Amino acid sequence: MQGAGSLPAVRIDDVDPDDAGLFWLRSAEPGISVERVGDGVLLRSASLSTGEIADAWLCASLNERLLTSARDRRRATLADLLS
Amino acid sequence: MPVRARSGVAGGILLVGDGGDFTLASRPLAGRLLNDTLTDFDRLGLMREGLLIEDGDRLGRTAHLRAVADRIGSAGSLDYLILVPTLRCNLGCSYCQVSRVAERSRGFDWSDATLSAVLSIIDGLHVDHVKIEFQGGEPTLRPDLIRAVIARCERFRVRQFVICTNLQRLDPEIMELFDRPDVFISTSLDGDAVTHRRQRTVDQTATEAFLGNLRMVVDRYGPTKVSALPTVDPAALPAMDGLIDSYVEHGLDSVFLRPINYQGFARKRHAEVRELDVAWRDYHAAFVRRLIERNWADRSRVLEETYFSICLRRIFQPGADRHVDLRDPNPIGVDYVVVDHDGRVYPTDEARMLTRSGVIDLAIGDVFDGWDGDARRLLNAHATNRFDPACSRCAYQPFCGRDIVDDLSRYGRIEVPRHETEFCRRHLAMFDLAFSLIYSDEPAVHHSLARWLRLPGTPGRLGTSLS
């Protein structure tokens, strides 16, 4: 992650612009713009600091991971019950 | 373990479990949680806070399920009726939220048949406690109808009646009702005399009559029997201390900040308040902080903003779900209904206003034929935030609620993405404020939060942290 340009910005490598976490990040923080850069994205905001942008991304990606994990466990439990 | 994270709160990452347990995590800890590289120490800390259950921990699993169950609101039998015996009123406030008609209008009071049907409904309640709120119009224009309802409730072990009145005219007949220990008085006080006159009473005589009557009922019965709330114009926010002082001067400790509601006649006259903006939310937060300062400066009394206290109790006290504007699920027409002047039944008072405004007919039935119909079932299929994709990613979901009628009022539909609704923005701000205060180091903040939570003492801390 690094700052770029005149607005506070955070670069995220190895992430697809269609990533679900990015979608929900933009939903929760409409002030954050997402720009494709190389194999990642650049998150910019006129109202948040780089630390705040990074924290928002951390939460968005963490929520996606935890939701996916919970969903996978539910499916495994259900498959176990049905087997 | 279903845990959700939120940034921007108290300098850390707030982690909230779906049972409502929470802790403030450091960024490195949140990072390790994201990368699945938790240390044993991390795991112990998260387990202690109820945010992680190890495989095979059956007691932990059961405790978690219990916590989740406690967070799911359970609307019981019908025990709360909001009754509108008349739509007539002797005031004409520009933003009237109850869609009134002039005092001398005809055909806007309960008919004998309506009264009889309401009494039959009361007879059929399968509970030993009942709460009945008389709204209007101005319900004291028909004390005979109020008396008839109260008389029919003698069989209930616990009875509470709230008369929502503008206190413009009090006569012996009204005072006899007020004298009952099971009757409570709710009124509106918009601030100092000038503000109240501008927004409600219009002329000096009516203003003085109201203020005199308010003073008289508080003196006669004490502040626990009388409540008041201001309607605040977001476009002309009042000075905070002036508003607080107007309540303090009347011996009232609770202020329920209520913005002009985008419903009823207010929809037509004050369309600019459709979206409460950042200024309103900042005002509300500053108001709460001002109360904290005043409570600390004078610890002999506890001032509170009622809605903030409700949100605070939603965090710490699972099951605090009788405030029907903030609970989940929030089914309609189950444990409470509104009966209008013509006997039609509505899920909420806001639904009644929307219907009166000609926006959408949200009546779910009437007192003659009941209200267990398709309209109610259709709305109740969507009365939860639990499976919403935005809410399922929100740390505040366990504390928050769902208000279908509010969505219909503002957007004309209920499938607007949750994070785009005013309900969501408002409550995100409320819970952000709550958690920023919960993690405050200031003794003054702890003092007020503990009082608002009705705690006997003041804990050294209200939230845990993990690094």
Side-chain angles (χ1 to χ4, degrees):
Chain A
M1 293 186 230
Q2 64 183 48
S6 56
L7 290 180
V10 172
R11 177 170 173 154
I12 314 291
D13 293 322
D14 297 322
V15 64
D16 190 299
D18 295 328
D19 180 90
L22 280 177
F23 172 82
W24 289 108
L25 172 67
R26 278 177 293 188
S27 301
E29 297 284 356
I32 295 180
S33 66
V34 179
E35 177 187 336
R36 183 192 287 267
V37 177
D39 62 348
V41 295
L42 197 64
L43 308 178
R44 288 185 201 271
S45 172
S47 56
L48 301 178
S49 68
T50 52
E52 289 169 333
I53 298 170
D55 279 355
W57 166 245
L58 173 60
C59 287
S61 48
L62 177 56
N63 285 337
E64 286 311 305
R65 192 188 95 67
L66 294 170
L67 271 174
T68 303
S69 170
R71 186 190 63 208
D72 291 347
R73 287 183 74 93
R74 277 200 305 274
R75 285 180 176 163
T77 303
L78 190 59
D80 192 38
L81 288 170
L82 294 174
S83 65
Chain B
M1 179 83 181
V3 172
R4 283 157 283 195
R6 180 157 180 85
S7 62
V9 179
I13 304 295
L14 184 68
L15 301 178
V16 183
D18 58 2
D21 298 300
F22 65 87
T23 194
L24 190 67
S26 65
R27 291 185 185 90
L29 171 57
R32 293 194 294 276
L33 188 56
L34 171 65
N35 299 318
D36 207 9
T37 55
L38 290 175
T39 65
D40 289 345
F41 186 75
D42 293 337
R43 301 181 76 83
L44 278 173
L46 290 167
M47 284 173 62
R48 191 182 63 231
E49 301 307 329
L51 297 171
L52 186 148
I53 304 169
E54 295 284 20
D55 287 339
D57 180 1
R58 294 179 63 184
L59 181 59
R61 173 73 54 190
T62 303
H64 169 68
L65 293 174
R66 171 61 190 263
V68 173
D70 283 345
R71 289 283 169 185
I72 299 174
S74 55
S77 300
L78 181 65
D79 62 359
Y80 179 16
L81 299 171
I82 298 172
L83 305 179
V84 182
T86 177
L87 207 60
R88 295 180 298 116
C89 185
N90 47 6
L91 284 182
C93 312
S94 72
Y95 49 70
C96 179
Q97 301 186 19
V98 290
S99 306
R100 83 291 176 219
V101 295
E103 182 177 1
R104 295 184 181 173
S105 302
R106 290 175 174 270
F108 292 94
D109 293 10
W110 279 354
S111 64
D112 290 343
T114 302
L115 173 62
S116 177
V118 169
L119 297 180
S120 294
I121 289 168
I122 291 170
D123 289 344
L125 297 180
H126 300 292
V127 289
D128 68 350
H129 55 274
V130 68
K131 177 177 179 178
I132 294 182
E133 199 171 297
F134 296 97
Q135 295 226 16
E138 171 53 39
T140 60
L141 295 178
R142 289 302 303 267
D144 56 324
L145 296 177
I146 296 175
R147 263 198 315 273
V149 168
I150 289 177
R152 203 56 162 251
C153 292
E154 289 296 327
R155 73 178 172 93
F156 297 105
R157 184 177 59 84
V158 179
R159 305 172 295 270
Q160 187 185 85
F161 307 101
V162 181
I163 299 177
C164 303
T165 170
N166 59 30
L167 288 178
Q168 284 305 133
R169 285 202 297 262
L170 299 182
D171 57 30
E173 198 176 7
I174 305 299
M175 293 308 297
E176 192 178 333
L177 282 170
F178 287 174
D179 282 344
R180 291 181 58 105
D182 50 10
V183 167
F184 295 81
I185 301 162
S186 176
T187 192
S188 296
L189 173 63
D190 283 354
D192 59 24
V194 174
T195 306
H196 194 85
R197 175 178 169 176
R198 184 179 69 242
Q199 297 192 172
R200 289 185 183 271
T201 39
V202 180
D203 69 68
Q204 188 66 19
T205 306
T207 307
E208 288 173 1
F210 163 71
L211 292 174
N213 285 337
L214 176 59
R215 201 171 307 279
M216 186 271 285
V217 293
V218 173
D219 288 347
R220 182 176 175 120
Y221 303 116
T224 57
K225 189 178 171 105
V226 184
S227 64
L229 68 171
T231 296
V232 176
D233 183 352
L237 294 168
M240 287 176 211
D241 278 322
L243 180 55
I244 296 168
D245 287 341
S246 67
Y247 276 69
V248 169
E249 285 165 10
H250 284 94
L252 302 169
D253 293 333
S254 296
V255 184
F256 195 143
L257 276 188
R258 182 178 58 169
I260 291 174
N261 203 338
Y262 183 56
Q263 285 159 350
F265 286 165
R267 165 180 284 266
K268 295 174 181 169
R269 297 194 186 182
H270 298 272
E272 73 280 2
V273 299
R274 173 172 169 175
E275 296 291 340
L276 298 178
D277 58 11
V278 175
W280 167 259
R281 290 190 277 275
D282 287 349
Y283 179 83
H284 191 277
F287 192 88
V288 170
R289 291 184 186 278
R290 183 68 189 125
L291 292 178
I292 288 170
E293 290 172 358
R294 292 183 60 145
N295 285 342
W296 188 245
D298 177 5
R299 270 161 268 182
S300 68
R301 67 188 303 173
V302 181
L303 307 172
E304 73 173 346
E305 197 286 309
T306 308
Y307 198 69
F308 181 78
S309 293
I310 288 168
C311 291
L312 197 61
R313 287 196 285 273
R314 289 282 297 171
I315 294 171
F316 286 100
Q317 296 164 0
D321 53 13
R322 280 318 298 268
H323 183 75
V324 295
D325 290 341
L326 186 65
R327 62 177 184 170
D328 182 76
N330 193 6
I332 59 165
V334 176
D335 52 346
Y336 76 105
V337 292
V338 180
V339 178
D340 205 359
H341 71 98
D342 55 3
R344 298 185 86 198
V345 171
Y346 294 90
T348 67
D349 208 31
E350 290 72 20
R352 180 172 71 95
M353 299 173 210
L354 275 178
T355 305
R356 281 279 300 164
S357 301
V359 177
I360 180 174
D361 186 352
L362 286 175
I364 54 176
D366 60 48
V367 291
F368 309 106
D369 298 319
W371 53 90
D372 184 18
D374 290 343
R376 188 177 75 154
R377 279 190 286 277
L378 184 64
L379 287 170
N380 280 347
H382 304 279
T384 179
N385 66 23
R386 194 152 289 269
F387 310 109
D388 183 275
C391 299
S392 66
R393 288 165 172 81
C394 180
Y396 301 144
Q397 181 274 329
F399 318 126
C400 200
R402 181 82 168 99
D403 190 341
I404 294 169
V405 174
D406 191 65
D407 284 355
L408 286 170
S409 167
R410 295 175 193 280
Y411 313 108
R413 39 198 275 242
I414 63 169
E415 83 284 19
V416 176
R418 303 301 310 148
H419 54 275
E420 294 176 10
T421 64
E422 174 57 27
F423 183 91
C424 179
R425 287 193 287 267
R426 178 182 176 211
H427 288 92
L428 276 177
M430 290 292 279
F431 289 118
D432 277 347
L433 172 64
F435 278 102
S436 72
L437 295 175
I438 287 166
Y439 281 102
S440 167
D441 293 329
E442 296 173 46
V445 174
H446 289 195
H447 170 75
S448 277
L449 293 192
R451 303 290 81 74
W452 296 340
L453 286 166
R454 315 292 190 254
L455 301 180
T458 302
R461 63 176 188 178
L462 286 162
T464 62
S465 301
L466 294 175
S467 56

